[in-house]
Amino acid sequence: MRRRALEPKLDYTSAFAPSTVANLGPGFDLLGCAVEGRGDTVAAKPMEVSASSTNLEDRVLIERIEGDLGRLTLESKSNCAGIAAIETLRLMERECGPLAKGAGVSLDLEKGLPLGSGLGSSAASAAAAAMATNVLFGSPLPKAKLVEAGIVSEAAVSGYHADNIAPAVLGGFILVKSTEPLVLQQLDCPSDLWFVVVTPVFEAPTKKMRAVLPKEVSMQLHIENTGACGELLLGIVQGDIQSIGHGLNSDTIIEPTRAPLIPGFSAVKGAAIDAGALGCTISGAGPTAVAVVGSKEDGRAVLSAMKEAFKSEGSLEIQYADVVKLCKEGAKTV
Amino acid sequence: MRRRALEPKLDYTSAFAPSTVANLGPGFDLLGCAVEGRGDTVAAKPMEVSASSTNLEDRVLIERIEGDLGRLTLESKSNCAGIAAIETLRLMERECGPLAKGAGVSLDLEKGLPLGSGLGSSAASAAAAAMATNVLFGSPLPKAKLVEAGIVSEAAVSGYHADNIAPAVLGGFILVKSTEPLVLQQLDCPSDLWFVVVTPVFEAPTKKMRAVLPKEVSMQLHIENTGACGELLLGIVQGDIQSIGHGLNSDTIIEPTRAPLIPGFSAVKGAAIDAGALGCTISGAGPTAVAVVGSKEDGRAVLSAMKEAFKSEGSLEIQYADVVKLCKEGAKTV
């Protein structure tokens, strides 16, 4: 039986993907989670392309981007949403059969997240674009597969890593157990867990923040950090929020290297802990600071202490601050 | 109210402590577990010492050691059982009040474990001695406290580490979340888990096996091994024995350095996996090889494959081999 060529099944769809907190303390490059609050939204519509076109890049058009202050390119093969959409089409062809001649997709990206904030801005765009593209074609791919499309996009933007894109697509906490082959595990946290995210107006590009990391770590630090990561992981799956906080605070490799590059971060962390946070670290590559608390009420006090410390000790204005829950759903249609 | 001085409450007691498998793959220096089968036994009796003696070392006598082929010293302050007993008395004094004048303890150590085998031989002696000493005095210390006495003993013998002594005392899997301060977490594994332990006749002293370890590890290996350790830990608490096995197999730092020093180890590991083991690594500092299986039946086939490979590929005789369950109880009176 000949398979029917894949073609758009809807006239329009729109997908939202949440912000993500990756490099969680000692879980650098391994552990990330999705949080509620802001995120990116991608609308997708069918687009007619030349029937002779064999290039997947030509089948994706980015029509419009809003909220990026004009900083992102509309060229689909160079934009994280565009790359994710192209890779989603590639996966569809590989897994489900050929695309119909002339079938393409036009995207409209609405950035809800500031760029270079450490909240997984590129991953949110990629996850929303992959989701919207897949849904437009009738969801031929399972949701988990979309992570692979997103990883190609992340690799093009800031190096191969899955700890933002996997939770942006799937939601919850995601442990990257191995990258080659890619093995992910979604972790359920049975306790009520809230995150305080505070993003100052300060640029901390991922590439620069990665460049400062040590190439080697001492065996002693390796062992300590592995123990801290173990504490954090067990805290998550066992719902022990004290252990989550303590594990987050116990990174002795990444945070000490990056913190000095974010004005006021040490004071912000101290203020968060003093105000009752269980733990506090840098979100992603920064400059966002993220603290963990056990309730929304605790979060409010921690939020204002962190904002105040960024202002007074770091002389930085705040562009985004919120107390948000773990987002268990990940990317979704809206 | 004046506290009564501590004195022996029994005429005789005897404690057994199990063998332990530490340095569990990517859980180097962090993760160990107790297994059933052989272990060490320490009998304790009250002993009268000079009433003017203020030195705790004088209060512990090692009367006899059996099964060590004459290799261990009877001098209590230089013997791992003796040191653990002395430290147990020190903890009693610190936590519970002064020892009665003239009160001492005489120990009789029966080694069930070969020395330098990687099965926590020194930890088993220390755990049994601490347990017997505490029980003799009416158990003034909680069992968990005895780990501290054992750590002092381990530090004197092979460097400060808790991953053998903690499971030898407490049983089960123990994660050392931090050493300063000492924070341990006992992990319950809800699945049926069996260990195949095979000890060849070959000396692999802990100090020598530690000396070959790299002082630094690359960031890449650090991240990979932390992910593997996470997989192992989650496998344990979630009872996912496939993940336990895969995690054990995924150490890219310690095992590659030590395996070449144990004749035939690579072949033994390969034979174990081929025969159906879920994972296989070096127990402690070796030379014991340990494999994980899901049932006693699976264990028998793996056992004979491992023995055969040690003989044919390593030209080593076998001194101990067994298929054993996780020991959940740890040290106990017998």
Side-chain angles (χ1 to χ4, degrees):
Chain A
M1 198 180 84
R2 199 168 147 209
R3 287 188 290 188
R4 266 192 78 173
L6 295 164
E7 55 189 8
K9 299 284 190 293
L10 303 172
D11 291 332
Y12 173 88
T13 188
S14 174
F16 169 88
S19 43
T20 44
V21 177
N23 300 336
L24 271 165
F28 175 71
D29 262 10
L30 289 173
L31 184 65
C33 66
V35 296
E36 293 188 349
R38 285 200 213 168
D40 286 1
T41 307
V42 170
K45 289 182 300 190
M47 176 183 71
E48 196 81 27
V49 295
S50 159
S52 65
S53 173
T54 55
N55 197 337
L56 283 179
E57 292 168 9
D58 300 337
R59 292 184 185 251
V60 174
L61 175 81
I62 300 181
E63 203 169 338
R64 203 167 61 105
I65 305 178
E66 236 179 84
D68 68 329
L69 306 172
R71 289 172 54 189
L72 296 176
T73 174
L74 288 168
E75 191 183 35
S76 62
K77 67 176 180 187
S78 307
N79 173 291
C80 44
I83 299 170
I86 294 164
E87 293 303 319
T88 301
L89 295 180
R90 197 184 312 283
L91 283 170
M92 281 181 195
E93 286 213 307
R94 190 188 306 155
E95 308 275 324
C96 317
L99 289 169
K101 283 200 166 79
V105 53
S106 157
L107 303 177
D108 189 332
L109 167 61
E110 194 186 320
K111 295 290 303 174
L113 291 172
L115 277 61
S117 58
L119 285 169
S121 168
S122 59
S125 293
M131 182 85 179
T133 303
N134 190 45
V135 169
L136 193 74
F137 281 78
S139 300
L141 296 170
K143 193 179 183 189
K145 200 78 191 163
L146 304 179
V147 174
E148 294 176 31
I151 284 180
V152 177
S153 170
E154 290 283 87
V157 177
S158 59
Y160 184 92
H161 65 287
D163 51 340
N164 283 112
I165 186 68
V169 171
L170 301 170
F173 282 96
I174 303 280
L175 173 68
V176 183
K177 296 203 279 193
S178 97
T179 49
E180 283 176 40
L182 182 68
V183 184
L184 305 172
Q185 185 174 350
Q186 194 169 26
L187 309 179
D188 193 33
C189 180
S191 289
D192 222 23
L193 194 62
W194 294 79
F195 298 80
V196 183
V197 287
V198 180
T199 310
V201 181
F202 182 75
E203 190 99 7
T206 302
K207 280 190 181 176
K208 183 181 158 197
M209 295 303 271
R210 288 190 89 88
V212 300
L213 297 178
K215 302 281 176 291
E216 306 237 300
V217 301
S218 72
M219 181 65 85
Q220 188 55 37
L221 287 186
H222 162 63
I223 293 167
E224 285 175 20
N225 252 49
T226 307
C229 189
E231 176 171 30
L232 177 55
L233 290 171
L234 293 173
I236 291 168
V237 297
Q238 299 181 333
D240 172 1
I241 62 175
Q242 299 289 340
S243 285
I244 294 173
H246 189 263
L248 269 190
N249 277 342
S250 303
D251 165 28
T252 51
I253 295 178
I254 307 299
E255 191 186 302
T257 322
R258 287 178 164 177
L261 302 184
I262 302 169
F265 177 79
S266 298
V268 170
K269 178 168 180 154
I273 304 293
D274 288 348
L278 301 165
C280 178
T281 190
I282 301 165
S283 178
T288 297
V290 59
V292 169
V293 291
S295 72
K296 187 156 193 171
E297 292 64 45
D298 289 354
R300 286 205 192 94
V302 170
L303 183 81
S304 71
M306 290 170 73
K307 285 168 72 172
E308 183 49 38
F310 259 134
K311 284 179 191 165
S312 61
E313 301 297 320
S315 302
L316 296 180
E317 292 304 310
I318 305 302
Q319 58 174 318
Y320 176 52
D322 206 353
V323 181
V324 289
K325 280 194 90 159
L326 187 67
C327 165
K328 299 197 173 184
E329 198 180 357
K332 60 183 179 185
T333 50
V334 285
Chain B
M1 197 181 80
R2 204 172 143 206
R3 287 188 292 184
R4 266 191 78 172
L6 296 164
E7 54 189 7
K9 297 285 190 292
L10 303 171
D11 291 332
Y12 173 88
T13 190
S14 175
F16 169 89
S19 42
T20 45
V21 177
N23 298 337
L24 270 165
F28 176 70
D29 262 10
L30 289 172
L31 185 64
C33 66
V35 296
E36 292 188 350
R38 284 200 213 169
D40 287 358
T41 306
V42 171
K45 288 182 301 190
M47 176 184 70
E48 196 81 24
V49 295
S50 159
S52 65
S53 172
T54 55
N55 196 336
L56 283 179
E57 292 169 7
D58 300 335
R59 292 184 186 250
V60 174
L61 175 80
I62 299 181
E63 205 169 336
R64 204 167 60 104
I65 304 178
E66 235 178 85
D68 67 329
L69 306 173
R71 288 171 55 188
L72 296 175
T73 175
L74 289 168
E75 191 182 35
S76 62
K77 68 176 182 187
S78 306
N79 173 290
C80 45
I83 299 170
I86 293 165
E87 292 304 319
T88 301
L89 295 180
R90 197 186 311 284
L91 283 169
M92 282 182 196
E93 286 212 308
R94 190 189 305 155
E95 306 275 324
C96 317
L99 289 169
K101 281 200 168 78
V105 52
S106 157
L107 303 177
D108 189 333
L109 168 59
E110 192 186 321
K111 295 290 303 175
L113 292 171
L115 277 61
S117 59
L119 285 169
S121 168
S122 59
S125 294
M131 183 84 177
T133 304
N134 189 45
V135 170
L136 194 73
F137 280 78
S139 299
L141 296 170
K143 193 179 183 186
K145 202 76 189 166
L146 304 179
V147 174
E148 294 177 30
I151 284 180
V152 177
S153 170
E154 290 282 88
V157 177
S158 58
Y160 184 93
H161 64 287
D163 50 341
N164 283 113
I165 186 68
V169 171
L170 301 169
F173 283 96
I174 303 282
L175 173 69
V176 183
K177 296 202 280 193
S178 97
T179 50
E180 283 175 42
L182 182 68
V183 184
L184 304 173
Q185 185 173 351
Q186 194 169 25
L187 308 179
D188 193 33
C189 180
S191 289
D192 222 24
L193 195 61
W194 294 79
F195 297 82
V196 183
V197 286
V198 180
T199 310
V201 180
F202 181 76
E203 190 98 7
T206 303
K207 281 189 179 174
K208 183 181 157 195
M209 295 303 271
R210 289 191 88 89
V212 300
L213 298 176
K215 303 280 176 290
E216 308 237 297
V217 300
S218 72
M219 182 65 86
Q220 187 55 36
L221 287 187
H222 162 64
I223 293 167
E224 285 175 19
N225 253 47
T226 307
C229 189
E231 175 171 31
L232 177 56
L233 290 170
L234 293 173
I236 292 168
V237 298
Q238 299 182 334
D240 171 1
I241 62 175
Q242 299 289 339
S243 285
I244 294 173
H246 189 263
L248 269 190
N249 277 342
S250 305
D251 164 29
T252 50
I253 295 177
I254 307 298
E255 190 185 303
T257 323
R258 287 178 163 178
L261 302 185
I262 302 170
F265 177 80
S266 298
V268 170
K269 178 167 180 154
I273 304 294
D274 287 347
L278 301 164
C280 179
T281 189
I282 301 165
S283 178
T288 297
V290 60
V292 170
V293 290
S295 72
K296 187 155 193 169
E297 293 64 46
D298 288 355
R300 286 205 193 95
V302 171
L303 183 80
S304 69
M306 291 171 75
K307 285 168 74 172
E308 183 49 39
F310 259 134
K311 284 179 192 166
S312 62
E313 302 298 319
S315 302
L316 295 180
E317 293 303 310
I318 305 303
Q319 58 174 317
Y320 175 53
D322 207 352
V323 182
V324 290
K325 278 194 89 158
L326 187 68
C327 165
K328 298 198 173 182
E329 198 180 355
K332 60 183 177 184
T333 51
V334 286

